[in-house]
Amino acid sequence: MLAAPAIAVPVLPRIYELNREALARWCEDHGVPGYRADQIRKWIFGKRVDSFAEMHDLPANFRALLAESFSLFPATVTEHRVASDRTEKLLLQLHDGELVECVLMREPDRRTVCISTQVGCAMGCVFCASGLRGLKRNLTTGEILEQVLRLDRLLPRDEAITNLVVMGIGEPLANLRSLLPALESLNEKGGLGLGARRITISTVGLPEKIRELAQIGKAYNLAVSLHAPDEATRSRLVPVNDKIGIDAVLAAADDFFAITGRRVTYEYVLLSGVNDAPVQARQLAGLLQSRVAHVNLIPMNHVDELTFVEPTAPRTQEFVRILTEAGVPATVRKRKGADIDAACGQLRLHQLEPAASAPV
Ligand code: SAH
């Protein structure tokens, strides 16, 4: 049977798919001085314009050439939710119909954005909404940056993004090829001026990729999703652990610390009756006591298809107490945007067809 002909949607590349140097080269190739690249970047990253026409200090014919050659914000915002705590979430539809989510979180002294790196996820963590339908594809550098730039435009003129966490849909270390240029572009001249120290990359724990990230010489923060102190429980929750193992994850995180000097955060989603027992807290403390580490306990965000629930507050506090008394700093993550499905993966999941047989 012949496949239905694909509908040819002309897609112009996002202009910020090019980094500063590549954009300067493009300008020169088109008969315009390279410094125009910095002007363009200033309009996009600094002045938050939504069209090439607004870039007033560029010659009109050059603006027209840019508009014929590139896009700025080609994704469609299919949902924009605002929570009672002013967390905002965008569901973006890409040219091929795929959906991604990104979130803006507000705290008195911080404006943090959370972005996605893949459509779906291949890691299959059993409590996570993002991987329930598997991995569709990697996002491009431009698709990653569009999330940041769109969230930035939700802020008033006198506010700026202060922190960026790569904790949305997908496994960031499985798409470093798109992610790293996006993060670098944000830090280059004319970018958002977000230092690497304000950027946190969260990983399921892929040892070789953790080492690769450590080697690039940037001070990004690393968060490792540990979620259990023993192999059996971790493999049950994070299936890729079966082939990797906790020791290999910790050894890679140790190397990350040795190379970058950045303290590693260990994420641990507390699931009632699964990984929240005092004995597990003691075991976790045993693993991390000798390391320069911090534990971020994440309350389980409800996922309709799943039956995991968060422990009671006293049980959570007991877990924190055991870690702290053992000398392992631990904090419980504040829940943000609970009334808008702000935790990543959930909005997209609601838009997808229900699975033939939903996992429990
Ligand atoms: N793939 C990356 C990013 C995932 S999202 C990683 O594995 O780290 C960031 C964190 O949220 C991860 O620790 C992830 O395990 C956790 N998480 C996923 N689903 C969750 C849920 N329903 N409730 C609480 N935390 C969740």
Side-chain angles (χ1 to χ4, degrees), residues 127-128 167 170-171 202-204 225 227 267 269 298-301:
F127 49 83
C128 176
M167 296 188 181
E171 169 48 42
S202 176
T203 178
V204 72
S225 296
H227 302 321
E267 292 160 290
V269 57
I298 318 177
M300 170 71 193
N301 286 305

Side-chain angles (χ1 to χ4, degrees), residues 310-326:
E310 67 176 305
T312 59
R315 189 131 164 125
T316 300
Q317 284 322 311
E318 175 68 357
F319 206 95
V320 173
R321 191 189 60 77
I322 293 169
L323 288 173
T324 318
E325 282 182 6

Side-chain angles (χ1 to χ4, degrees), residues 287-305:
L287 286 181
L288 300 182
Q289 241 161 1
S290 59
R291 303 183 145 92
V292 182
H294 169 252
V295 175
N296 196 351
L297 296 161
I298 318 177
M300 170 71 193
N301 286 305
H302 174 77
V303 178
D304 281 345
E305 287 179 30

Side-chain angles (χ1 to χ4, degrees), residues 15-32:
I15 189 161
Y16 41 84
E17 188 78 46
L18 303 184
N19 66 13
R20 182 173 172 237
E21 190 191 331
L23 185 57
R25 212 177 316 121
W26 188 92
C27 289
E28 280 164 7
D29 289 347
H30 290 79
V32 174

